[in-house]
Amino acid sequence: MVAAGTQPISSSQRLRDEVTPQRRPYDPSDLHWVRMSLVRRTSVAAVAATALVLTVVLTLVTSTGSVASTRWVPGNAQAGQVKAGLAKQRPPAKLITFRDRVVGGLPVLSYRGAADPTVARYAGGWVAISTGPGAPRAIATQPGGPWQNIPSALTTQPSWALSGRYWASDLVEVNGLWLLYFSAEVSGIGVDGRCIGVATATDPTGAFVPDERPLVCPREAVAPRAYDRMKRRDRGMPRQGVIDPEYFRDRGGQGYLLYRTQGRPSSIRIVALPADGRPGGGKAQSTELVRRGGVIENPTMARRGKQYVLLTSEGEFGQCTYKTTYRRSATITDFSKSKRGILVDTRKSGLCGPGGADLGRGASGEPMIFFHGWTCPELGGNCPGGNDYDRNNIYGAQRSMFAASLRFTSRKAPKIRAYVAPIQEPPAPPPTTTVPRQGR
């Protein structure tokens, strides 16, 4: 029903007004007119630009989580690098690489164990002596082999030695006579406590005869008075034995003996020797070079220019984490300020527990290194990590001998140049020999 005085609204007019509202009279205080005025004064290009800016801002907020976190900092600045690292998704873990990483080493002597090898060149080629009963020995015409077993080096033992189980010997020629430095069990300084002796031979492949007087032996040991009695050990050092003898001849001919003290903390010490490298009737005091709370052992030394380079083994020898390290010093008796570097470990080589190293020479006089690593014949290669193969011998694990050529950087840091490849399959091991006791 329509009131009087009004005209009815057609259906078409009602529909038009619902779709397009009628224009209201102008009122400056009406916000509708303010909004409509701005729209009319805004160009199409400006609207498009505004929309683009809003799209970019929304994209940044979505990707970074907040606008505040996108504050710009120089990309080459430390803060910029940190921010970029946080903004990016973390990449998957990658294998650590080294500029001096050399892999693919194969054992040159693996048909039997060859732990803590000492290798010397002689007229017939090379001779190697390792840890074991009687000091097991093998010879080869080349460092890569084929290595052939010959009778053990020490078929007799000094009277103070409790057994013929010799550890980490060192073979060297001094003034035309071959010397074999060894460590043997002795009573008075605990289980497996040892002293260092020396044996001589005119031929490195012949029988060695030990001197009766020990070269290095603590005063507490039941043994003849030694050349070095270790009188100046700190009170914090264990009163145990000594192992891992290593001969070093400096320029001018002065000879030294390096060795490790047993127990923990362990240390590397050095003592000057007589010209013939034997104890004789004299005496001397040794000096501590390096001390570690854990295990540091198997010292060997080289001189490059004015730098002395000390190589050692560190860690538990039964584990793959065992490694060969080096330190450098301008003074032979002071390595207190030297920094440790890693020459070869499982990450740089792919080998299990590379250690027990000895320095030698190749056919052309080039520097070489011989060391052992755990191999597992039942697995057909190097032993896997995560096991102590000394305490839990599985997979037929043994310490095989590896050989490699060395290079030295301009700062006299040693690096593995290349591994020596084995020449051919070695022969079967010989039967075990017994070691008769000399003296009482």
Side-chain angles (χ1 to χ4, degrees):
M1 182 176 182
V2 179
T6 62
Q7 297 181 354
I9 299 175
S10 64
S11 60
S12 60
Q13 178 68 31
R14 185 183 297 112
L15 180 61
R16 186 170 58 251
D17 288 346
E18 290 175 356
V19 175
T20 307
Q22 294 182 355
R23 182 176 181 179
R24 289 183 287 185
Y26 172 72
D27 184 359
S29 64
D30 191 347
L31 293 178
H32 170 78
W33 283 103
V34 175
R35 291 192 296 269
M36 295 300 295
S37 178
L38 288 174
V39 170
R40 289 191 186 94
R41 285 169 174 77
T42 303
S43 65
V44 175
V47 173
T50 303
L52 179 61
V53 170
L54 290 174
T55 303
V56 172
V57 171
L58 290 174
T59 303
L60 290 175
V61 170
T62 303
S63 61
T64 61
S66 66
V67 177
S69 66
T70 61
R71 182 174 63 86
W72 181 85
V73 290
N76 59 351
Q78 183 176 4
Q81 295 174 0
V82 172
K83 185 172 291 296
L86 293 175
K88 294 180 180 179
Q89 184 180 4
R90 293 185 180 273
K94 295 182 178 180
L95 178 67
I96 299 176
T97 58
F98 300 86
R99 287 181 298 176
D100 57 346
R101 180 178 171 89
V102 181
V103 296
L106 297 175
V108 296
L109 199 167
S110 60
Y111 60 86
R112 64 166 173 83
D116 309 313
T118 175
V119 181
R121 190 179 181 186
Y122 75 113
W126 281 262
V127 56
I129 297 177
S130 54
T131 289
R137 187 169 46 177
I139 57 174
T141 57
Q142 300 181 57
W147 289 90
Q148 302 283 342
N149 281 339
I150 62 174
S152 298
L154 276 175
T155 56
T156 59
Q157 63 190 63
S159 62
W160 49 267
L162 296 179
S163 73
R165 299 188 303 116
Y166 303 112
W167 289 358
S169 303
D170 186 47
L171 178 65
V172 63
E173 184 180 16
V174 177
N175 299 331
L177 188 66
W178 287 92
L179 305 182
L180 181 65
Y181 297 97
F182 61 90
S183 65
E185 291 176 285
V186 66
S187 61
I189 50 176
V191 178
D192 261 342
R194 292 172 175 265
C195 291
I196 293 174
V198 60
T200 60
T202 57
D203 185 337
T205 63
F208 282 80
V209 179
D211 287 350
E212 183 57 31
R213 186 188 183 194
L215 191 59
V216 184
C217 198
R219 291 177 294 175
E220 299 84 357
V222 180
R225 187 183 185 93
Y227 173 77
D228 175 15
R229 303 185 71 194
M230 306 172 60
K231 290 183 177 180
R232 297 180 182 177
R233 279 188 294 179
D234 292 346
R235 292 183 178 180
M237 294 299 292
R239 292 300 187 262
Q240 297 185 28
V242 290
I243 58 175
D244 301 340
E246 178 76 12
Y247 180 86
F248 171 71
R249 182 187 300 160
D250 202 358
R251 294 176 184 174
Q254 176 61 57
Y256 297 88
L257 187 77
L258 299 98
Y259 59 89
R260 174 210 164 176
T261 58
Q262 290 181 282
R264 303 186 190 191
S266 55
S267 65
I268 303 299
R269 300 179 69 88
I270 188 171
V271 61
L273 294 175
D276 61 0
R278 302 169 68 181
K283 61 181 180 178
Q285 293 291 338
S286 54
T287 302
E288 182 179 287
L289 297 183
V290 184
R291 182 188 303 185
R292 297 280 291 179
V295 174
I296 183 169
E297 57 189 8
N298 296 113
T300 184
M301 184 176 284
R303 183 170 179 177
R304 305 294 295 185
K306 296 181 180 180
Q307 291 285 318
Y308 293 95
V309 183
L310 174 66
L311 271 61
T312 55
S313 301
E314 296 188 38
E316 300 295 335
F317 77 88
Q319 302 176 9
C320 289
T321 53
Y322 195 60
K323 55 186 171 289
T324 300
T325 59
Y326 67 88
R327 293 170 175 81
R328 292 161 291 175
S329 175
T331 306
I332 191 172
T333 56
D334 185 10
F335 282 77
S336 59
K337 297 181 180 180
S338 61
K339 295 182 179 180
R340 186 190 74 167
I342 296 178
L343 174 59
V344 57
D345 62 1
T346 187
R347 293 186 299 175
K348 287 188 175 184
S349 66
L351 305 177
C352 177
D358 186 44
L359 293 174
R361 292 285 177 179
S364 301
E366 69 275 15
M368 294 191 65
I369 184 172
F370 299 86
F371 60 90
H372 70 239
W374 286 99
T375 59
C376 289
E378 294 180 8
L379 300 179
N382 298 319
C383 294
N387 187 60
D388 190 320
Y389 293 99
D390 176 54
R391 299 178 180 179
N392 181 28
N393 192 281
I394 56 177
Y395 311 126
Q398 63 181 20
R399 286 177 285 175
S400 299
M401 186 174 76
F402 294 78
S405 58
L406 281 181
R407 63 181 179 88
F408 289 84
T409 68
S410 59
R411 295 186 177 181
K412 314 308 178 187
K415 304 291 181 182
I416 297 292
R417 181 186 297 275
Y419 289 104
V420 175
I423 303 300
Q424 66 180 41
E425 289 296 324
T432 304
T433 58
T434 57
V435 181
R437 186 178 183 82
Q438 176 184 357
R440 66 181 187 203

